[in-house]
Amino acid sequence: MTDAEFDLLDELYFVTPFRVLLEKTGLPAAELLALLGQLLERGLVRYYWPDPDTELAYEPTSFGALGQDASYLASKEGLLQHNTR
């Protein structure tokens, strides 16, 4: 796990909107979106849209369109990896 992934998972103990993640991480939007996509592919993060109760299955083709409007949460596996580092 990279330092950037670790820092991002640190912010995802609760459902967090993309715009809040932008503010807290200070990463450019494109970089944050790419990082979230990588974590989603590995099953370390879940994402929700249009509300914090509706989880979406990760689809690379639709993620780019929805990613900046979604909210995120570390998965159980993501939390385990984050806490064992």
Side-chain angles (χ1 to χ4, degrees):
M1 176 177 299
T2 66
D3 288 341
E5 291 170 338
F6 182 85
D7 292 344
L8 183 53
L9 284 173
D10 208 30
E11 299 295 335
L12 295 176
Y13 275 71
F14 301 98
V15 177
T16 308
F18 182 84
R19 69 182 179 282
V20 172
L21 291 173
L22 271 177
E23 292 172 15
K24 290 192 173 207
T25 63
L27 294 171
E31 189 176 328
L32 177 58
L33 203 56
L35 188 57
L36 286 164
Q38 292 167 8
L39 292 170
L40 282 160
E41 283 180 18
R42 294 177 17 221
L44 302 179
V45 170
R46 298 186 212 163
Y47 85 118
Y48 301 85
W49 183 86
D51 58 66
D53 296 322
T54 306
E55 183 177 353
L56 296 177
Y58 176 67
E59 302 262 343
T61 55
S62 63
F63 177 68
L66 299 175
Q68 293 189 18
D69 296 325
S71 295
Y72 298 87
L73 177 68
S75 67
K76 183 177 179 180
E77 179 63 28
L79 293 174
L80 286 171
Q81 286 192 27
H82 180 260
N83 289 325
T84 57
R85 180 175 173 200

